[in-house]
Amino acid sequence: MYDVAKIREDFPILARTVYGKPLVYLDNGATTQKPRVMVDALVGEYYSVNANVHRGVHYLSQQATELHEASRETVRRFINARSTNEIVFTRGTTESINLLAATFGEEFMQEGDEVILSVMEHHSDIVPWQLLAARRGIAIKVIPMNDRGELLLDEYERLFSERTKIVCVTHVSNVLGTENPVKEMIATAHAHGVPCLIDAAQSIPHLRVDVQDLDADFLVFSAHKVYGPTGVGVLYGKEEWLDRLPPYQGGGEMIQHVSFEKTTFNELPFKFEAGTPDYIGTTGLARAIDYVTALGMDEIAAYERGLTDYALQRLREIPEMRIFGEAIQRGAVISFLVGHIHHFDMGTLLDRLGIAVRTGHHCAQPLMQRLGIEGTVRASFALYNTKEEVDALVAGISRVSKMF
Ligand code: PLP
C-alpha cells in the first residue's frame, strides 16, 4: 500500500505554512523536497566521518572514501550501469552536459559536423552545444514536434546526415511533461552509427531508468531533483565512449602522474573528476536513491500517474484553461495558462494562497517560441503530493480567475 500520509511525515518542510496557509509545494520539477534520512546522512557524515577522500592513509579518509565509492555503486545499481567506471560525479545535469559537449566536441567534432537536439530541450542541453558551435563551427539540427507536444519521429529520421555526430534528447520534457520514446530514438541513432545522450533530469525521480535496457550511450541527471542534495549530479557514459574522451578539467584526483614535461591521466571515472568531489553530497544522493528504491520506482510511477491524471481532469474543468502538452505518454508535469491571465500574475496570486508553482519560460525559450507564448504556469508533482493538494490548486486557480 502506498501510504502518502506516512510518506509526507518523512519530509519535515511539508508541515510548514506560508502566509499562514499550509504549504502546497508543486514546484518539484525545479527541485524536490528532502526526506529526513537524506539530510541526517549529510549531517551525520560531517559530524562523524568527514575527511578528504582518495588521498589519505588515515582511518577517516578511508572511511569517507568507502562511503563515496559505495555511493557510486548505489547509483550504478539504480540505473543498471555495467560498471562504476561508467558513473562520473558532477555538479548536476548542467555540468554533465557541458562536460560531454566540451570533451566529445574536442575529440569527435569538426567544422560542419552536426548535433541533433529536440525542440523541447532545456537550455542546459542547448547552450553547451551552441558554445561548441561557436568554437568549432558545428551545426545544430532540431527535431520538431506536433501540437500535442510529441516529437515527430519521421522528421527525426530525416535529420541524419553523414555529418551527424551525436543526438541529445530529453527523456521527459520539463514543460510539456511529454515522455519521449527514447529507447526507439536511441535505436534510430545507433542505426546511423551515432551515439545518444539522454537528459534524464525529469525522468529519474519518476520512472525506472535502465541505461542498458535503453542502450543509452550517455545519460545525465541531478541529485536535487530526486530528493538528494544540491550540487551533485551524474554523467553516465558507456565505458567504451568515456575511455575515448579527453579529460574535462585539470587538477588533483584526475591525474596519474604529473611532471612539467608530461602528465598522465587517471583511469575512469576519476579522469573526469578533478579536485575534491562533493563526497558528502554523494552520500546524500545514495540515501535519496535508497529512499525511492524502498518505496519502489514502479509504485512511485503508478501513484504519480494517478495523481497527474486526476490533476489533468480537474484542471480541464476550469473555464478558458489551456494545457500545453497533451502527449499520450506523459510525466508528472502540467503547464497551463488561463484566459488572458499572465502566468506571472497567476503564480504570484497562487503563492499568496500557499501554493508554490513555477512561472515563466522554464529554461526552454525555443519551445516557448514553438508554442507561440512567452511562458506558462507549471505544476509539477512528486511522490508526496496528494489529491487534496490538486484540489487546492484547482480552487486557487478558480479564485484567481474570478479576480480577473
Ligand atoms: N534538463 C532538464 C530537462 C531540466 O528540467 C533541468 C532543470 O530544470 C536541467 C536539465 C538542469 O538541471 P540542473 O539545473 O540541476 O543542472
Side-chain angles (χ1 to χ4, degrees), residues 150 177-181 207 305 326-331:
E150 295 159 329
T178 310
E179 184 187 336
N180 289 314
L207 306 171
R305 198 171 314 118
E326 299 277 2
I328 292 157
Q329 196 69 22
R330 59 168 302 132

Side-chain angles (χ1 to χ4, degrees), residues 205-336:
H206 307 289
L207 306 171
R208 184 186 290 281
V209 172
D210 180 328
V211 291
Q212 290 192 64
D213 177 56
L214 294 175
D215 202 16
D217 302 281
F218 305 100
L219 183 136
V220 295
F221 66 93
S222 300
H224 72 96
K225 292 191 199 281
V226 58
Y227 312 102
T230 52
V232 178
V234 170
L235 164 68
Y236 157 82
K238 281 183 184 165
E239 201 162 349
E240 69 216 56
W241 277 112
L242 292 183
D243 259 338
R244 292 157 73 194
L245 297 179
Y248 178 47
Q249 295 179 332
E253 301 268 347
M254 52 77 72
I255 52 86
Q256 217 152 39
H257 178 78
V258 178
S259 71
F260 281 111
E261 289 70 41
K262 182 175 166 60
T263 289
T264 53
F265 302 118
N266 207 339
E267 59 203 23
L268 288 177
F270 309 109
K271 181 171 88 174
F272 296 108
E273 294 181 353
T276 300
D278 186 351
Y279 53 86
I280 306 274
T282 56
T283 297
L285 170 58
R287 296 297 78 77
I289 289 174
D290 290 346
Y291 183 83
V292 293
T293 306
L295 286 178
M297 287 312 295
D298 294 339
E299 285 70 17
I300 293 170
Y303 177 77
E304 291 181 347
R305 198 171 314 118
L307 193 66
T308 308
D309 286 348
Y310 177 71
L312 282 167
Q313 176 213 321
R314 294 277 347 254
L315 288 169
R316 287 193 188 109
E317 290 164 8
I318 296 172
E320 295 189 81
M321 169 62 69
R322 271 192 300 163
I323 290 174
F324 298 90
E326 299 277 2
I328 292 157
Q329 196 69 22
R330 59 168 302 132
V333 178
I334 305 177
S335 276
F336 61 89

Side-chain angles (χ1 to χ4, degrees), residues 29-30 91-95 97 120-122 124-125 170 172-174 199-202 221-222 224-225 362-363 378:
R91 285 195 304 118
T93 305
T94 302
E95 189 178 57
I97 299 175
M120 61 179 80
E121 294 312 300
H122 188 279
S124 64
D125 195 29
T170 190
V172 171
S173 161
N174 67 317
D199 175 351
Q202 295 293 342
F221 66 93
S222 300
H224 72 96
K225 292 191 199 281
H362 315 296
C363 297
R378 182 185 76 180

Side-chain angles (χ1 to χ4, degrees), residues 103-169:
T103 58
F104 190 92
E106 183 181 327
E107 188 66 22
F108 294 112
M109 298 187 83
Q110 310 297 331
E111 189 172 345
D113 284 343
E114 295 163 359
V115 51
I116 296 179
L117 309 177
S118 91
V119 68
M120 61 179 80
E121 294 312 300
H122 188 279
H123 292 165
S124 64
D125 195 29
I126 300 173
V127 183
W129 300 107
Q130 285 176 328
L131 293 174
L132 185 67
R135 275 201 310 273
R136 287 249 148 167
I138 65 158
I140 294 172
K141 292 191 162 182
V142 182
I143 313 165
M145 66 178 199
N146 63 24
D147 290 338
R148 284 197 305 279
E150 295 159 329
L151 293 179
L152 298 174
L153 297 186
D154 290 348
E155 301 283 332
Y156 168 53
E157 273 269 15
R158 278 196 275 276
L159 291 179
F160 284 90
S161 77
E162 279 169 11
R163 303 304 302 265
T164 309
K165 288 293 186 288
I166 189 165
V167 173
C168 308
V169 65

